[in-house]
Amino acid sequence: MDIIAFGECLIDMLNQGDPLAFQGSAGGAPCNVLAQASKLGQKCALISMVGQDYFGDWLRAYIGSIGVDTQYIKTTNQAHTTIAFVTLDQSGNRNFSFYRKPGADMLLCPEDIPLSAIKNARIFVYGGVSLTKDPARSTLFNTLNMLDGQKVVKVYDPNLRFPLWEGDLESAKKISLIGMEYADIIKLSDEELAFLTECQSERDAARMVFDQTPARLLLVTKGAAGCTYYTHSHIDHLDTYHTKVQDTTACGDSFLGAFLHRILALNATAESISIEQISDCIDYANAAGAMTASRKGAISSLPDDAEIRECQKKIPRLCVAFPNEEKNRINI
């Protein structure tokens, strides 16, 4: 297995303009990441749980139809499949309302986890939504502890959804930071980085992340402003592409799925991968995210390799000011 992910598998109900007009689609950040990577040719599997209901049956069938292995998606009669109602503001940015008290994805237990499959995968992706409630939270931390010393690369996206923390922002911060303590690669938005570290400058925030985690690479996505990445010795920024935004749902997940696909294609070790290769992977991921933003929906909007490369060739970049000295090799 190339990529295996732990996390929510749910129904996104996207508003269609009228106040009560919604259209459903498959969603959940780990599911979206795998969908993008699978569309680009990677072998992927999802560890999740759905309800014993129509939505759960539909999700399992749909996810399987897009090439993601569903053998580790469990079914429960103790809760319904989670539903997220998504509305968009005038800029295409999202607001969420979750039906998850409880949701099936919260009920994953240690006996549901295929530990040997994770150990044998090349990449293990996990997200912050699974950390909002037990038993999924404890199950994920137990899984991460069991992976200590294993070769699988651990990739973390805090994916903060504040409504799921029910106003407890201190717990959101504390637990999300603990999630970072296991990760080799961390991807988060600039707003999430500022919230979690409380640092005044992004460089200080990156230094704090590297001081407190084993991470070798920090990806900071910034929407229309592209992505800044940090290693222990380098900072660089890559602008994204100038597509017309229709819907930002799954843009970050598309970015991460495409980035992981390109990293895997290099067949490089952490020690041998070059800064130029990382930059190329991020540019590819920026194009994937920009193409996703230009369409409505989540998984249905994810681009294939030809579309991503066409974007890179033909669509101009959005130019964002970035101090030249920041692009030099430095000590984080």
Side-chain angles (χ1 to χ4, degrees):
M1 192 65 63
D2 296 314
I3 307 174
I4 190 165
F6 179 118
E8 70 279 7
C9 170
L10 51 80
I11 298 290
D12 277 331
M13 299 294 288
L14 181 63
N15 185 257
Q16 300 300 294
D18 292 333
L20 294 180
F22 291 84
Q23 181 173 342
S25 64
C31 184
N32 296 338
V33 171
L34 295 184
Q36 180 66 88
S38 176
K39 193 166 188 175
L40 296 172
Q42 301 300 329
K43 294 180 179 179
C44 302
L46 179 64
I47 303 165
S48 191
M49 184 170 283
V50 296
Q52 190 174 308
D53 51 37
Y54 172 81
F55 290 126
D57 293 342
W58 182 86
L59 276 169
R60 187 188 300 277
Y62 178 75
I63 293 167
S65 75
I66 60 173
V68 176
D69 192 331
T70 63
Q71 65 176 305
Y72 308 122
I73 300 178
K74 304 296 183 180
T75 301
T76 180
N77 60 7
Q78 301 301 306
H80 292 298
T81 302
T82 298
I83 299 176
F85 285 86
V86 186
T87 55
L88 304 176
D89 63 20
Q90 292 183 345
S91 300
N93 293 313
R94 303 154 296 162
N95 295 298
F96 293 90
S97 180
F98 291 92
Y99 282 66
R100 190 179 181 252
K101 294 186 177 181
D105 65 286
M106 296 162 50
L107 304 184
L108 280 166
C109 293
E111 57 266 27
D112 301 317
I113 307 306
L115 193 61
S116 61
I118 300 173
K119 290 179 179 179
N120 289 320
R122 298 173 71 187
I123 290 176
F124 176 58
V125 176
Y126 62 102
V129 169
S130 294
L131 297 177
T132 57
K133 295 288 184 181
D134 275 323
R137 177 196 298 163
S138 297
T139 300
L140 177 52
F141 280 138
N142 179 70
T143 301
L144 290 166
N145 283 318
M146 296 293 286
L147 294 177
D148 184 45
Q150 300 295 316
K151 65 178 182 179
V152 60
V153 175
K154 296 177 284 296
V155 178
Y156 176 49
D157 179 357
N159 196 31
L160 285 166
R161 296 288 178 261
F162 291 115
L164 295 178
W165 293 93
E166 299 175 348
D168 190 354
L169 298 187
E170 282 305 309
S171 289
K173 183 179 300 180
K174 177 181 178 181
I175 295 169
S176 296
L177 286 170
I178 294 173
M180 289 187 184
E181 295 176 6
Y182 301 87
D184 301 300
I185 298 173
I186 297 171
K187 176 264 172 192
L188 68 175
S189 71
D190 50 350
E191 293 92 348
E192 289 169 336
L193 180 64
F195 170 77
L196 292 174
T197 64
E198 298 184 359
C199 291
Q200 294 299 309
S201 78
E202 190 172 284
R203 183 187 293 194
D204 288 342
R207 184 179 293 112
M208 175 180 167
V209 169
F210 287 132
D211 285 345
Q212 298 183 6
T213 78
R216 302 189 298 268
L217 177 63
L218 173 64
L219 307 173
V220 184
T221 56
K222 302 176 178 182
C227 175
T228 303
Y229 74 89
Y230 297 80
T231 71
H232 285 267
S233 59
H234 188 82
I235 298 174
D236 205 351
H237 179 87
L238 286 94
D239 293 323
T240 190
Y241 290 84
H242 197 356
T243 57
K244 183 178 179 180
V245 174
Q246 297 291 323
D247 178 6
T248 58
T249 303
C251 289
D253 304 327
S254 172
F255 173 96
L256 184 56
F259 175 79
L260 296 178
H261 161 69
R262 289 298 302 141
I263 286 290
L264 288 175
L266 294 173
N267 285 314
T269 65
E271 293 74 26
S272 67
I273 191 168
S274 70
I275 293 300
E276 291 75 17
Q277 288 174 318
I278 295 174
S279 294
D280 286 345
C281 292
I282 290 174
D283 186 65
Y284 183 90
N286 274 339
M291 291 298 297
T292 301
S294 71
R295 306 160 176 171
K296 287 193 174 182
I299 291 175
S300 62
S301 70
L302 301 175
D304 60 24
D305 180 73
E307 291 171 320
I308 294 171
R309 294 189 183 279
E310 186 79 357
C311 174
Q312 289 179 295
K313 289 179 182 177
K314 295 188 175 181
I315 297 178
R317 290 175 176 83
L318 279 166
C319 295
V320 177
F322 195 79
N324 288 332
E325 64 270 16
E326 294 290 316
K327 302 182 79 170
N328 298 326
R329 294 184 66 85
I330 62 163
N331 292 319
I332 298 295

